[in-house]
Amino acid sequence: QTYTVPLRLRNMDKVARSISVAPLDSTQFSLGGKLNAKVAPGMDATVHITFRPDDASDHSIALLCSTERERFVVPVRAVGARAVLDLPDMLAFPPQLVKASTPRTLLVRNVGRRRAAFTAWCRLASDDGNSEDAGDDACSVFRVTPAAGRVEVQESLQLTVTFTPEVV
């Protein structure tokens, strides 16, 4: 698949300026449009950047743009395929006895197009729906097994979350 995006370079000066964009030495990226142009004040010069990925990894280049007064670099990044883990948004535990453990087993699937690496940590939700990272004391009542791992593309893994309340 091919992706094309415009890069608009606007002349913010009060006089006309020449702009040039250096050609690329890349097999994945190419440039189209005018690479050398004289741009009136307040007007744009448009260069089209075309990306033709040959794999699912991330790619980046740096476009070198020059005027009579300055040179600057425009970084261009193309983000490749990502891992996407399919798991529940929330996990609810019923009321239970203090110091009694209740395990819940979850099936985690990688529905993305890249291997996923994960690390489990505790995030407590507040009454207003926001969440924040909790300290070690607040999360000592939860245990996730395994706490870290990898899930290959279209594979699944069972996680066990154990809740052991310490106070009423």
Side-chain angles (χ1 to χ4, degrees), residues 86-110:
D86 180 29
L87 66 156
D89 292 331
M90 186 174 71
L91 187 60
F93 288 92
Q96 62 189 52
L97 299 172
V98 173
K99 298 191 180 188
S101 297
T102 302
R104 290 282 186 262
T105 301
L106 314 172
L107 182 67
V108 178
R109 294 182 324 147
N110 182 358

Side-chain angles (χ1 to χ4, degrees), residues 9-84:
L9 301 166
R10 177 165 288 166
N11 182 0
M12 301 298 286
D13 209 341
K14 294 185 185 335
V15 296
R17 295 284 176 199
S18 293
I19 181 80
S20 65
V21 179
L24 299 174
D25 184 24
S26 171
T27 57
Q28 289 89 18
F29 292 94
S30 62
L31 299 176
K34 286 188 157 190
L35 300 184
N36 297 300
K38 186 94 166 176
V39 184
M43 299 302 290
D44 294 340
T46 303
V47 175
H48 295 280
I49 304 167
T50 301
F51 176 58
R52 290 180 192 87
D54 53 7
D55 59 18
S57 62
D58 296 350
H59 297 277
S60 65
I61 58 165
L63 293 179
L64 178 62
C65 303
S66 306
T67 68
E68 304 94 0
R69 293 187 348 178
E70 62 188 343
R71 300 176 95 186
F72 55 94
V73 173
V74 177
V76 178
R77 293 183 185 91
V79 179
R82 291 287 180 246
V84 179

